[in-house]
Amino acid sequence: SAKEKGRNNYQFFSKDMAFVAARKTALEGDLNRAVINKEFTLHYQPQILAKTGEIIGMEALIRWQKNDGSIVSPGEFIPLAEETRLILPIGEWVLYTACQQAKKWHDDGNSHLKLAVNLSSLQFMHDDLITTIQKVLKTTGFKASSLELEITESVVLDDAEKAISRMQTLREIGVQIAIDDFGTGYSSLSYLKRFPLNNLKIAQPFVQDMATNPRDKSLVEAIIFIAHSLDMSVIAEGVETEEQLALLQDLGCDEIQGFLFSRPLPVAHFTKLLMTGVTPVKVI
Ligand code: C2E
Ligand code: MG
Ligand code: MG
Ligand code: MG
């Protein structure tokens, strides 16, 4: 009967849910241990000045390597880390480790490099953020003006006023702020007007389709125009082809980040790259 079927469906559904929940609980336990055992590392992806091809900075990107050697991507564990609030200790570790490393690069003759660090909404809105940042800058000796925090448009969903005042405090300290994945969230022109932002990162989907879809190209052009009008610089993420690069240079995009120049690299590789510089590579 329909009723029985319904019951069956329900059973399937609940088994499914139990499975998903069990996986999540397992991953949660792993994540807890990962924080205690420090199983995280940072990779760094160069950011390139579009006009000259010079490396002007790097984005720190977290990697979780489990004991068995397997890598869990941030796309999978960052949302869980946010849900469990483990992102707070993880995020502090990221900030400290990245600033400490970038300070070494500065001291080794690359003092022009800007360091970009991703912050989750929870981190950004947390009461301790400013204290944490000041503590990290003081302990590592890293220059505030070389640090750029990447936040997404979602930070303003809860409390726009608080987000804006937080951004202002960060700017007073000298830290730069970038909007990450611009165009994929709840972009609003009024936010752009009200946020004290330095840098706008055009989201990958626009960049990746701009060479094949004129509408994406128009959007990228408009985003660059608006950003420049508001005194912000623009970085394109996910640049993979020469064609995309040429278009972006043509449109006056300031900075480029993507596999065309380099994937995110472990510290030793990135250090080598600083000596050799980057040249576009074919992305397969
Ligand atoms: P995101 O901040 O937008 O970082 C860019 C992502 O695009 C990175 O993925 C990077 O490896 C990837 N990428 C760069 N160039 C290309 C390209 O040319 N083609 C393609 N297909 N991808 C490219 P990743 O490292 O897996 O990070 C994913 C997301 O996880 C990040 O997106 C960021 O939102 C989050 N994340 C990473 N590290 C951290 C962290 O330390 N803290 C926080 N809160 N979030 C992080
Ligand atoms: Mg980012
Ligand atoms: Mg990004
Ligand atoms: Mg992004």
Side-chain angles (χ1 to χ4, degrees), residues 59-61 116-118 150-151 180-181 201 237 257:
E59 178 175 4
L61 294 156
V117 174
N118 293 284
E150 294 192 4
I151 55 178
D180 204 353
D181 304 328
K201 299 190 82 173
E237 354 179 42
Q257 190 180 338

Side-chain angles (χ1 to χ4, degrees), residues 238-276:
V239 179
E240 294 186 348
T241 70
E242 296 269 9
E243 204 180 357
Q244 290 161 1
L245 174 64
L247 279 173
L248 288 161
Q249 284 170 324
D250 227 41
L251 297 177
C253 184
D254 305 285
E255 297 170 29
I256 307 286
Q257 190 180 338
F259 293 171
L260 178 65
F261 287 103
S262 172
R263 290 177 181 268
L265 301 171
V267 168
H269 285 78
F270 191 85
T271 304
K272 262 190 215 153
L273 198 72
L274 286 176
M275 296 188 283
T276 60

Side-chain angles (χ1 to χ4, degrees), residues 7 44 59 93 107 155 177 212 242 254 271:
R7 225 180 264 140
Y44 296 87
E59 178 175 4
W93 177 86
D107 289 349
V155 298
I177 301 166
T212 48
E242 296 269 9
D254 305 285
T271 304

Side-chain angles (χ1 to χ4, degrees), residues 140-159:
T140 60
F142 193 62
K143 272 201 308 254
S145 57
S146 299
L147 177 63
E148 179 171 88
L149 301 176
E150 294 192 4
I151 55 178
T152 57
E153 294 152 309
S154 64
V155 298
V156 295
L157 283 184
D158 289 340
D159 189 343

